[in-house]
């Protein structure tokens, strides 16, 4: 080693291995504290010191940075690796559970959607004791299919794990009659829950894709193949809170189809509006949700992140 490298090694050993402060090292080395600080920075830049963060799930730092900066997000976490869809979604949900632990506090409310991502998240959340946490169902029920992916059960399960309470919407996500819609959203319990959805602190949501035959909306029979074809003809590519979006994040509607959920704008108000998704096939629908400014945080896998950047014409890190 040359003299400079030996100096960097010695200062680094004093700081990282012996636990001395920069001021203590400056006295030992007869150098100013700012000089010691610059030497420690140089040690990291030249590879003398490598900082390893032992995370339970390996993340791709460059892609996380690229997503956050390119799309103006508050935060983004990209999980490294390429796995089959179910495993990748489970990994993203586990990371979302860890992320929730870092941002959730007492006296806060959590708004949720439904679907496979939220089911996986609910499974991943560990029991914890918070004070006065309320879980708010932001969209009506699927009603058929797998009850584990429906908002009623998810709100109950998450609130139980966090030692909190829940507010539900006891109504279907879609109705075909304006009269029925007006009656349901005026029902006191539903009206109160929809109002709560406008002021939650954190939103947790999956992101639906219209070309996914295994999607919760399609599997539950909430719309027919003809409905799906008409929505796609009108430009729909994505769904949030049971509402359809085009590629730029604008809402797309069907005639005589009324949605019982909070408006999409409700996802713009919270401090954290967190989207969870996986697989490159979900890049277009995720990009639509980001372009509509409905999400300020993404927790996704590496193939999805790369495809989002490619579709948007942005630089894709190695």
């Amino acid at each position: 080693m040359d003299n400079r490298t030996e100096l960097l090694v010695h200062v680094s050993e004093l700081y990282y291995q012996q636990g001395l402060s920069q001021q203590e090292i400056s006295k030992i080395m007869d150098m100013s504290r700012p000089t010691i600080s610059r030497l420690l920075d140089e040690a990291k830049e030249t590879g003398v010191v490598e900082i390893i963060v032992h995370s339970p799930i390996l993340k791709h730092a460059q892609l996380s940075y690229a997503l956050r900066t390119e799309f103006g997000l508050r935060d983004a976490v990209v999980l490294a690796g390429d796995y089959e869809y179910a495993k990748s979604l489970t990994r993203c949900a586990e990371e979302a559970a860890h992320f929730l632990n870092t941002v959730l506090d007492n006296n806060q409310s959590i708004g949720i959607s439904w679907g496979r991502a939220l089911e996986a998240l609910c499974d991943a959340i560990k029991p914890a004791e918070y004070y006065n946490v309320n879980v708010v169902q932001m969209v009506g029920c699927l009603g058929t299919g797998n009850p584990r992916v429906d908002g009623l059960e998810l709100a109950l399960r998450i609130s139980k794990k966090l030692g909190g309470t829940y507010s539900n919407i006891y109504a279907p996500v879609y109705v075909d009659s304006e009269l029925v819609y007006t009656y349901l959203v005026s029902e006191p319990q539903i009206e109160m829950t929809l109002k709560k959805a406008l002021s939650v602190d954190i939103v947790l949501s999956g992101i639906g894709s219209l070309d996914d035959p295994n999607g919760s909306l399609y599997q539950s029979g909430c719309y027919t193949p003809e409905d799906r074809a008409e929505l796609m003809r009108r430009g729909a590519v994505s769904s949030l809170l049971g509402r359809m979006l085009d590629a730029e994040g604008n809402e797309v509607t069907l005639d005589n189809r009324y949605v019982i959920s909070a408006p999409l704008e409700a996802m713009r108000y919270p401090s954290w509006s967190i989207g969870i998704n996986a697989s490159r096939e979900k890049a277009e629908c995720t990009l639509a949700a980001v372009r509509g400014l409905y999400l300020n945080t993404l927790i996704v896998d590496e193939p999805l992140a790369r495809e989002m950047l490619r579709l948007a014409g942005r630089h894709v890190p190695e």
Side-chain angles (χ1 to χ4, degrees):
M1 290 189 294
D2 59 33
N3 291 343
R4 185 67 174 182
T5 301
E6 288 178 342
L7 174 61
L8 295 177
V9 169
H10 184 53
V11 169
S12 298
E13 287 174 341
L14 291 172
Y15 186 73
Y16 290 105
Q17 294 182 349
Q18 298 185 31
L20 300 182
S21 69
Q22 293 184 21
Q23 188 62 43
E24 289 171 326
I25 298 171
S26 71
K27 293 178 181 179
I28 293 172
M29 303 297 294
D30 195 23
M31 297 176 177
S32 69
R33 194 204 58 77
T35 298
I36 298 299
S37 179
R38 286 194 293 271
L39 288 171
L40 290 170
D41 288 339
E42 184 181 342
K44 286 186 285 187
E45 291 166 3
T46 57
V48 169
V49 170
E50 294 182 7
I51 297 177
I52 300 174
V53 178
H54 292 282
S55 169
I57 300 176
L58 184 63
K59 295 146 182 118
H60 197 300
Q62 292 80 13
L63 278 172
S64 299
Y65 176 82
L67 275 197
R68 180 171 57 82
T69 55
E70 293 289 350
F71 297 117
L73 298 170
R74 181 172 183 181
D75 205 351
V77 181
V78 177
L79 276 62
D82 189 352
Y83 301 87
E84 57 89 17
Y85 175 71
K87 181 174 181 179
S88 198
L89 187 65
T90 297
R91 295 174 79 241
C92 290
E94 289 171 350
E95 177 56 31
H98 295 313
F99 191 93
L100 179 63
N101 286 338
T102 69
V103 299
L104 179 62
D105 205 347
N106 297 324
N107 300 304
Q108 289 191 330
S109 56
I110 304 170
I112 65 165
S113 61
W114 32 235
R116 290 172 291 175
L118 267 291
E119 179 192 14
L121 171 66
C122 186
D123 291 340
I125 292 174
K126 303 300 182 186
E129 287 298 328
Y130 289 91
Y131 174 76
N132 192 33
V133 167
N134 183 228
V135 181
V136 180
Q137 183 184 344
M138 298 183 72
V139 55
C141 302
L142 296 167
T144 58
N146 180 3
R148 284 180 56 84
V149 305
D150 215 338
L152 287 173
E153 182 163 333
L154 291 169
L156 173 61
R157 291 178 62 203
I158 294 173
S159 64
K160 185 176 181 180
K161 286 193 172 186
L162 301 178
T165 58
Y166 59 92
S167 300
N168 282 138
I169 298 175
Y170 296 98
V173 59
Y174 300 126
V175 294
D176 296 329
S177 164
E178 186 176 8
L179 181 63
V180 173
Y181 168 81
T182 302
Y183 170 79
L184 287 173
V185 296
S186 300
E187 194 275 331
Q189 193 273 336
I190 296 175
E191 183 180 28
M192 178 183 66
T193 300
L194 289 173
K195 285 182 178 178
K196 287 182 178 180
L198 295 173
S199 59
V200 295
D201 300 288
I202 301 168
V203 167
L204 298 165
S205 181
I207 307 158
S209 171
L210 255 69
D211 61 4
D212 181 5
N214 296 311
S216 299
L217 282 173
Y218 196 76
Q219 286 292 309
S220 63
C222 285
Y223 58 86
T224 65
E226 292 74 23
D227 292 335
R228 176 171 171 267
E230 177 59 22
L231 285 165
M232 294 179 75
R233 188 190 70 78
R234 297 185 184 191
V237 299
S238 181
S239 67
L240 288 172
L241 300 183
R243 300 178 184 272
M244 305 301 166
L245 314 175
D246 67 15
E248 298 303 317
N250 303 303
E251 186 169 358
V252 177
T253 61
L254 278 179
D255 301 332
N256 299 315
R257 176 65 66 89
Y258 301 91
V259 187
I260 300 178
S261 80
L264 287 168
E265 288 73 20
M267 300 191 71
R268 295 173 176 163
Y269 306 144
S271 298
W272 297 97
S273 188
I274 304 166
I276 307 161
N277 216 349
S279 117
R280 61 176 50 85
E281 286 74 21
K282 300 298 182 71
E284 186 179 29
C285 67
T286 306
L287 192 56
V290 169
R291 283 173 170 160
L293 304 179
Y294 304 120
L295 302 169
N296 64 23
T297 300
L298 285 179
I299 300 176
V300 299
D301 67 356
E302 182 176 338
L304 192 158
R306 291 188 180 281
E307 185 66 7
M308 279 185 69
L309 291 165
R310 189 193 69 78
L311 286 175
R314 312 294 174 85
H315 172 68
V316 183
E318 293 298 326

